[in-house]
């Protein structure tokens, strides 16, 4: 592999559930930790989140956020990214990135969750990524573009979009 051709390596921040039924937290395996260190020794690593559920009205799962913070501290990336979506409700994970409605209420929820996330992980910068979706829930009160413009205009959500 030509290492000089790669500027960085993106890693998915999702991890596996422990096989122990008594363990309800998500933890990386020893094997994945060894691979992470090997990659880190050759490339800058950029964590890319799939599980924070920034669009959830239930807020951010504190254990999951703490795990992300530890990963980011471990790999010292120049930035990290997360999708703007919700991934579950009522304690049920849907295993998919679902779109948020483009409403003032969901914008308030999103920005509150971003603020909570930035308090836990103030540095490096957070890059927000929109999602693709084939099912439109409807109920939008503004366009997707207007939603994003209002989001990045808020101080708590001062970050980049991809």
């Amino acid at each position: 592999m030509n290492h000089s051709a790669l500027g960085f390596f993106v890693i998915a921040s999702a991890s596996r559930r422990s096989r122990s039924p008594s363990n309800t937290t998500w933890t990386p395996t020893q094997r994945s930790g060894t691979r992470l260190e090997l990659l880190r020794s050759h490339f800058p690593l950029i964590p890319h989140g799939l599980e924070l559920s920034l669009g959830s009205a239930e807020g951010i799962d504190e254990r999951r956020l703490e795990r992300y913070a530890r990963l980011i501290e471990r790999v010292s990336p120049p930035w990290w990214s997360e999708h703007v979506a919700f991934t579950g409700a009522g304690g049920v994970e849907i295993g998919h990135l679902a779109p948020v409605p483009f409403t003032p209420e969901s914008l308030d929820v999103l920005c509150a969750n971003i603020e909570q996330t930035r308090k836990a992980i103030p540095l490096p910068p957070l890059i927000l990524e929109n999602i693709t979706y084939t099912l439109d829930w409807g109920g939008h009160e503004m366009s997707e573009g207007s939603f994003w413009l209002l989001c990045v205009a808020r101080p708590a959500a001062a970050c980049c979009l991809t």
Side-chain angles (χ1 to χ4, degrees):
M1 176 185 304
N2 182 356
H3 292 247
S4 63
L6 295 175
F8 57 87
F9 200 88
V10 175
I11 56 171
S13 298
S15 56
R16 289 197 226 159
R17 183 181 290 272
S18 168
R19 296 193 195 282
S20 167
S22 63
N23 184 349
T24 58
T25 61
W26 292 73
T27 55
T29 63
Q30 178 65 36
R31 187 174 179 184
S32 67
T34 302
R35 289 178 180 164
L36 185 68
E37 293 305 321
L38 178 62
L39 282 171
R40 185 171 180 254
S41 70
H42 295 285
F43 307 101
L45 300 180
I46 308 298
H48 177 67
L50 302 165
E51 299 178 328
L52 274 185
S53 203
L54 289 174
S56 173
E58 296 175 355
I60 303 295
D61 180 310
E62 290 289 336
R63 292 181 300 188
R64 186 168 282 162
L65 185 56
E66 174 57 33
R67 193 178 61 252
Y68 274 69
R70 285 193 313 266
L71 174 65
I72 289 167
E73 182 179 340
R74 184 176 184 179
V75 301
S76 300
W79 71 86
W80 66 289
S81 62
E82 177 65 46
H83 283 283
V84 172
F86 68 91
T87 59
V92 177
E93 295 286 329
I94 61 174
H96 187 73
L97 299 170
V100 299
F102 305 127
T103 66
E105 294 81 11
S106 64
L107 181 63
D108 290 342
V109 164
L110 173 63
C111 290
N113 288 341
I114 292 169
E115 183 175 10
Q116 177 187 359
T117 300
R118 297 307 295 151
K119 284 180 181 175
I121 309 169
L123 291 173
L126 167 61
I127 296 175
L128 299 177
E129 184 175 343
N130 62 335
I131 65 167
T132 60
Y133 52 94
T134 54
L135 176 64
D136 186 349
W137 302 107
H140 303 301
E141 296 176 19
M142 64 185 82
S143 70
E144 185 174 5
S146 295
F147 184 85
W148 289 115
L149 284 172
L150 290 169
C151 178
V152 298
R154 297 209 184 170
C159 50
C160 300
L161 291 172
T162 61

